[in-house]
Amino acid sequence: MKSIKIFAVLLCFTASLCQAIAQDKRTYKVGILVDRTNPEVAPLINKLKNEVKAVVGEDAIIVFPEEAILINNFDLERARNNYEQLLASDIDIILAFGVLNNEIISPLAVHQKPTILFGAVNRDVQQLDLSKANSGIENFTYLIESESYQDDLNRFKELSDFKNLGIAMDTQIAEILPLKEIFDAELARLDADYRLIAFESVDDIIANLDGIDAFYMAGGFFMTTEEKKVLIQELLDRKLPSFTVNGPADVKLGFLATLQAEENLDQFFRRIALNIEAYVTGTPMAELPVFIDYNPRLTINYSTSDIIGFPMKYSLIGETDFVGEFRNVLSEKEYDLLTVINEALEQNLSIQSNQRDVDLASQDVKTATSNYLPSLTASGTATYVDPDLAEISNGQNPEFSTTGNLTLNQTVFSESANANITIQKKLQKAQQEDFNASQLDLIFDAANAYFNVLILKANTQIQVRNVDLTKRNLEISQQNFEAGQSGKSDMLRFRSEMAQNTQAMVEAINQLEQGFLFLNQILNNPSNLEIDVTDVGLDEGIFEEYKYNDLFALLDNPSLREPFVDFLIEEAYRNAPELKSLGYSLEATDRNIRLNGYGRFLPTVALQGQYSSTFNRSGAGSTVPPNLGFGLVDNFYTAGASISIPIINQNLNNINRQTALIQKDQLEINKDNLELGISVNVRNGVLNLVNQMSNIQLSKISEETAAEALELTRASYSEGAVNIVQLLDAQNNYLNAQLARANAVYNFLINALQLERFLGYYFLLNTKEKNDEFKQRFFEFLNNQN
């Protein structure tokens, strides 16, 4: 009971203490001056307000009255009135943003209220004293921006080597700032011409793009996203490289590049909040630092670089962030899976060559059957005989004679011809089945190449994100080193990781290009044809239509899995073209065995006929002596039949029969081995599918867990609670989990199609009726098992 009373007293004391502290907090009203706003700038103002409240909240109460957020809309007189309005109000601190507010405030020698000037203008045209570490002016400080036209133009020149640059700037700003003097000097140093495009709308910019070879957006902070998209599309259509001063958000929309880091805005807001915190805790405005140590980093839109044909310099990859989808935006054709398969079957060179093998086998059948077609031969002969011999030949062999013959041969029966016809027909069917097997292989190879491209695309995106993650970890290690929480070795280790991960990203990009090359080869496309592939999912598109989730559910049922595997093996035996090919080869071999067995005693029967004609006779012996009493016949024919039976043929028949028996034995061994291989392949295919099913489920959990673990580890590392090894392990674990998650569905579908290849039956390429028959056969098989 005594303990309870003490605890209650402590609670009351704690509550009283908290109330007293809260009452001691001073309330500061903060006013904001901006040149212009729009629906997209307004969230940034809210973000700034939230950052200030979060940082200063323990020391003071910060209030941003809505009536103290004043906009001048690029009206100088209104900007002056807005500033004077805040001076006359009960506002405690003024935050001033923009060029016009800078024109009003920066020339003042005396500041009646604490004022922070920021986001005023590019540092190359800054009117403030940049040599000072602080303002040295009572109630006044400012922040020096990271933006530098000189740095941007140097890097843009290095990227594109422009000769005639278009530079866009808001008209109101261009009228105030001495831009001509600055750009004249910078572009002369870079040996390039330029055109300053002052604009009030995106149409003003588009109307002035002719004659330039590159575009630099030096203003445009207040442009809407839709306006930027219109401008970007025009730049893409003209294939103009572009550079923006406004950061990675614009590069994600489609500008080619920027030198502003994504973290710069957050860092800027944090510094404003820290300055306010320092002021409310007693540090004079005049002593607050004005510089922010930014880390400029090049960001390039990969998709934009492809569209405009911009050559990517590998020398810059180590210091470059990439945004944009790794999608072939130049693709002349985008393929889905069925299109890939159908075009491969029609156009693939290997399958066309295999088709010629079938055609040649058909020709062999025609050659074999031609043995039963008649043979008709015409011949002519001109003869000269020795005159002395001709003289005594009684007209039978004249000195000069010309004769002609027509000879007809017709096979009536031949066992060897019959056997050859049968054998060639069987071999032609075997060749057709080999061709069918080649088609099945090609279907899987084409699908595998298709999914390989999808896997490589996912891998590339993940490697790019991993480089970005390493970059953020490197920044944390640098901050820890500067704060004394870790040694320099951590920072060096992350720099090494950055180099290695960047190389992995480069390899991933090139592997994706190789994937497109291989797919082009399968489709018999020109190797330089730009193509892309559409993404697929297990529960969408053709895989949803053909109910691949049913296969998933069937294999997930242990009681049905084994009978289903037995059924699949039976189906594979029934469908396998390789088994059918061996069956036809066996039938051909059996026919050869019969030919060289009893068939050798069967006679060969043929008919022959000949018609002969003597066209002329002359010279010695060309006539019959009158005393012989007969004349010469110039035209006559003969006809006959022949039958032959081989008795002894150098023992070749026995040798041929023994050879055929050995070949038959070899084919039967091959058939048994093939059946065993099919059974093993089907079982392995099912096990692989089960593995991938598990991977789909677990990889999702693994990625989510690894992501959470990485965030916790990184937060702990930033506080010095864990070492670099633990952070690297967490990052690598997250990388592997992402890769496994991205590839899980693709690998499942690849393994499903591989199993269908083993079955000799692709569900995707068969009608619903055929697939329903397949299911019905399984149910019948299941009933017979019971």
Side-chain angles (χ1 to χ4, degrees), residues 587-659:
E587 291 177 11
T589 303
D590 283 336
R591 188 64 183 89
N592 194 22
I593 292 172
R594 292 199 303 273
L595 170 65
N596 290 285
Y598 68 83
R600 60 182 170 173
F601 299 114
L602 294 177
T604 299
V605 179
L607 299 176
Q608 299 89 30
Q610 181 172 303
Y611 180 83
S612 300
S613 177
T614 301
F615 301 126
N616 66 51
R617 306 166 187 269
S618 62
S622 58
T623 58
V624 179
N627 61 335
L628 293 181
F630 65 85
L632 296 174
V633 178
D634 291 330
N635 300 296
F636 63 92
Y637 65 89
T638 61
S642 67
I643 183 170
S644 62
I645 301 175
I647 305 299
I648 298 176
N649 188 22
Q650 301 173 330
N651 202 35
L652 289 178
N653 293 99
N654 286 330
I655 294 173
N656 291 338
R657 184 173 183 275
Q658 292 167 1
T659 300

Side-chain angles (χ1 to χ4, degrees), residues 440 525 661 663-664 688:
L440 294 175
N525 287 332
L661 288 171
Q663 290 173 337
K664 179 180 180 180
N688 289 336

Side-chain angles (χ1 to χ4, degrees), residues 469-477 494 714 727 731:
L469 180 60
T470 306
K471 180 193 71 174
R472 294 201 299 271
N473 288 339
L474 174 59
E475 291 169 355
I476 293 174
S477 70
F494 270 116
R714 187 164 56 188
L727 180 56
Q731 180 178 339

Side-chain angles (χ1 to χ4, degrees), residues 480-526:
N480 283 359
F481 173 66
E482 293 168 359
Q485 293 181 352
S486 65
K488 190 175 182 179
S489 60
D490 282 13
M491 187 170 61
L492 296 177
R493 177 67 183 275
F494 270 116
R495 285 180 181 173
S496 174
E497 282 290 314
M498 187 71 180
Q500 295 174 24
N501 293 341
T502 301
Q503 178 61 29
M505 180 189 71
V506 172
E507 292 176 358
I509 293 172
N510 289 330
Q511 286 170 358
L512 177 58
E513 293 298 323
Q514 291 172 336
F516 282 123
L517 284 174
F518 183 62
L519 186 56
N520 268 335
Q521 180 182 7
I522 286 181
L523 297 174
N524 190 25
N525 287 332

Side-chain angles (χ1 to χ4, degrees), residues 476 480 485-486 712-722:
I476 293 174
N480 283 359
Q485 293 181 352
S486 65
L712 293 174
T713 305
R714 187 164 56 188
S716 299
Y717 176 78
S718 64
E719 298 171 358
V722 299

